[in-house]
Amino acid sequence: MDVAIIGLGLHPFGRSPEFTGQQQGANAIRAALADAGLTWKDMQFAYGGSQDAGNADALVNELGLTGLQFTNIWNGCATGGSSLHAAYTAIKSGEYDIGCVVGFDKHSRGAFNPKPADWGLDDWYGETGMMLTTQFFALKTQRYLHDHGISEDALVRVAEKAFFNGSITPTAWRRQALSYDEIANSTMVSDPLRKYMFCSPAEGGAALILCNAKLAKRFTSKPLYLKAAAVRTRHYGSFEVFSPSQAMTVADAPTVTASKAAFELAGIGPEDIDVMQLQDTDSGTEIIHMAENGFCEHGEQEKLLREGATRIDGRLPVNTDGGCLANGEPVGASGLRQVYEVCVQLRNEAGERQVPNNPQVGYTHVYGAPGLSGVNIISR
């Protein structure tokens, strides 16, 4: 049984002091329902989550007490991908015909401050500074650049592209393009990552309406099809967020296994993807994820970036809305923002940032602590 996406909704990312996080999630759902020509009463189920803005199931207070099944999902930065996977399997099982996925958040200003004990770690891990993800990702990026012969030029080019794409995305938070020199000369935060190479905790909401594909044409003339949804955790030996050590043996990252599973489900390969969203918590992670998702070999990224291959008009358009760097990361909403953007691109409704040549297949990838990835493949 195929699954269709028939409604899209997004509350702009950034800062919305007049709205709670839950209200931003409710706004996104209302927009998605309107896009599908449906009402909240038509929903048979909902899945969703947030980190800091309250329980997703409390959205029924905003939207209506209809008695539907609503399940809270929390899976770090992979919350959106995990919620979509749950909806995908619920419809494919035949239990439900139509429902909603939603993610939202409203984070305080400043860096995230996770507690080691919440992640199965001892206090020493936090005392060394490794709970601060800027530190961990910088170390991982530094090692990756060294091992694969990539220079800091690649980090700058990822950020330059992200802020340009954000500048032409109406719902993005950071809407000012930055020059190569502005990024390259910005303050070093954690070597080799500089000020403009990180995303920031943010606010926002995103929602999708899904249904049994056999019913899709009742609601829209432009349905999209969720051909694959896969979520995978890490293996022993993969070096991921909050890993307390590096094993002697090296295993594939969860991104690799999630990507392979999604491509197998969809019956296609990386060469068939026309537009993609890859987790870019910082510039280094986008570079790493280009290879881990199968879109290039390790070490090829710098050449591709210099050639402009990952720009909107390139052959591998990545993060066409600016990704996390330009949108910030409201953790619960970020993965669904990716899907929203790919769907807008496949509908040819992206305006100034539209990928050329009538894209047919899109790809999203989200990565979260303590080392899990979610991948979705969507087609026209």
Side-chain angles (χ1 to χ4, degrees):
M1 183 184 298
D2 286 337
V3 177
I5 299 172
I6 57 172
L8 312 174
L10 192 75
H11 179 96
F13 280 29
R15 295 292 176 195
S16 297
E18 69 275 28
F19 293 108
T20 67
Q22 287 181 337
Q23 287 171 335
Q24 292 176 58
N27 289 344
I29 291 176
R30 292 187 186 104
L33 289 169
D35 188 47
L38 293 165
T39 69
W40 182 242
K41 291 180 180 179
D42 296 315
M43 298 298 101
Q44 298 170 356
F45 70 83
Y47 292 97
S50 78
Q51 174 175 294
D52 293 330
N55 294 332
D57 67 307
L59 287 174
V60 298
N61 297 327
E62 294 270 352
L63 298 164
L65 305 178
T66 62
L68 86 169
Q69 177 229 307
F70 200 133
T71 302
N72 291 331
I73 291 186
W74 166 238
N75 231 1
C77 297
T79 293
S82 300
S83 298
L84 187 55
H85 178 265
Y88 170 80
T89 55
I91 292 174
K92 285 187 76 70
S93 73
E95 185 173 0
Y96 297 107
D97 284 325
I98 190 165
C100 172
V101 291
V102 61
F104 59 92
D105 246 314
K106 190 179 181 79
H107 303 303
S108 300
R109 296 175 185 273
F112 293 120
N113 186 30
K115 298 177 181 178
D118 291 342
W119 302 89
L121 298 167
D122 294 327
D123 288 345
W124 68 264
Y125 195 82
E127 291 166 357
T128 62
M130 293 302 290
M131 290 303 291
L132 193 64
T133 51
T134 52
Q135 299 274 68
F136 177 88
F137 284 122
L139 281 175
K140 188 173 183 178
T141 295
Q142 191 176 94
R143 174 180 171 173
Y144 189 87
L145 299 186
H146 171 270
D147 288 353
H148 298 288
I150 300 171
S151 76
E152 293 181 25
D153 171 74
L155 299 174
V156 179
R157 291 181 187 277
V158 167
E160 182 184 24
K161 168 184 64 70
F163 289 111
F164 172 79
N165 291 355
S167 74
I168 55 173
T169 301
T171 55
W173 183 14
R174 311 295 192 189
R175 299 203 57 208
Q176 179 178 347
L178 296 176
S179 70
Y180 183 100
D181 288 343
E182 286 176 305
I183 297 164
N185 295 319
S186 63
T187 304
M188 183 67 76
V189 177
S190 292
D191 192 12
L193 298 174
R194 297 177 179 274
K195 175 181 177 180
Y196 294 128
M197 296 176 183
F198 287 102
C199 75
S200 300
E203 304 176 22
L208 307 170
I209 308 300
L210 290 84
C211 76
N212 182 328
K214 292 180 180 178
L215 308 177
K217 290 295 179 69
R218 294 185 190 178
F219 310 113
T220 180
S221 61
K222 47 189 176 185
L224 300 171
Y225 300 96
L226 185 56
K227 305 303 289 184
V231 178
R232 295 291 188 272
T233 56
R234 68 197 186 282
H235 294 281
Y236 177 74
S238 58
F239 188 51
E240 310 300 335
V241 184
F242 303 153
S243 293
S245 63
Q246 174 65 71
M248 293 298 291
T249 57
V250 178
D252 283 337
T255 293
V256 175
T257 49
S259 179
K260 288 180 178 178
F263 280 124
E264 184 176 348
L265 278 170
I268 62 173
E271 67 279 3
D272 298 306
I273 302 300
D274 299 312
V275 58
M276 66 200 76
Q277 292 275 315
L278 305 180
Q279 179 83 17
D280 61 330
T281 310
D282 56 83
S283 291
T285 55
E286 180 174 315
I287 290 169
I288 294 169
H289 292 148
M290 286 171 63
E292 289 185 347
N293 283 282
F295 295 109
C296 67
E297 296 297 325
H298 295 286
E300 289 184 345
Q301 297 97 318
E302 186 164 9
K303 179 176 183 291
L304 291 171
L305 287 160
R306 286 182 175 173
E307 292 173 350
T310 63
R311 294 183 179 273
I312 288 171
D313 59 354
R315 63 182 180 85
L316 294 170
V318 177
N319 295 333
T320 48
D321 63 351
C324 289
L325 292 181
N327 285 275
E329 186 167 25
V331 168
S334 196
L336 295 182
R337 172 193 54 78
Q338 293 181 332
V339 179
Y340 174 95
E341 172 64 14
V342 161
C343 290
V344 168
Q345 291 286 345
L346 295 180
R347 287 180 172 188
N348 284 301
E349 295 175 351
E352 193 175 354
R353 69 184 189 283
Q354 178 63 51
V355 169
N357 302 319
N358 197 25
Q360 300 291 309
V361 186
Y363 182 99
T364 73
H365 157 261
V366 66
Y367 171 91
L372 63 144
S373 290
V375 169
N376 303 292
I377 296 174
I378 303 147
S379 71
R380 291 175 63 175

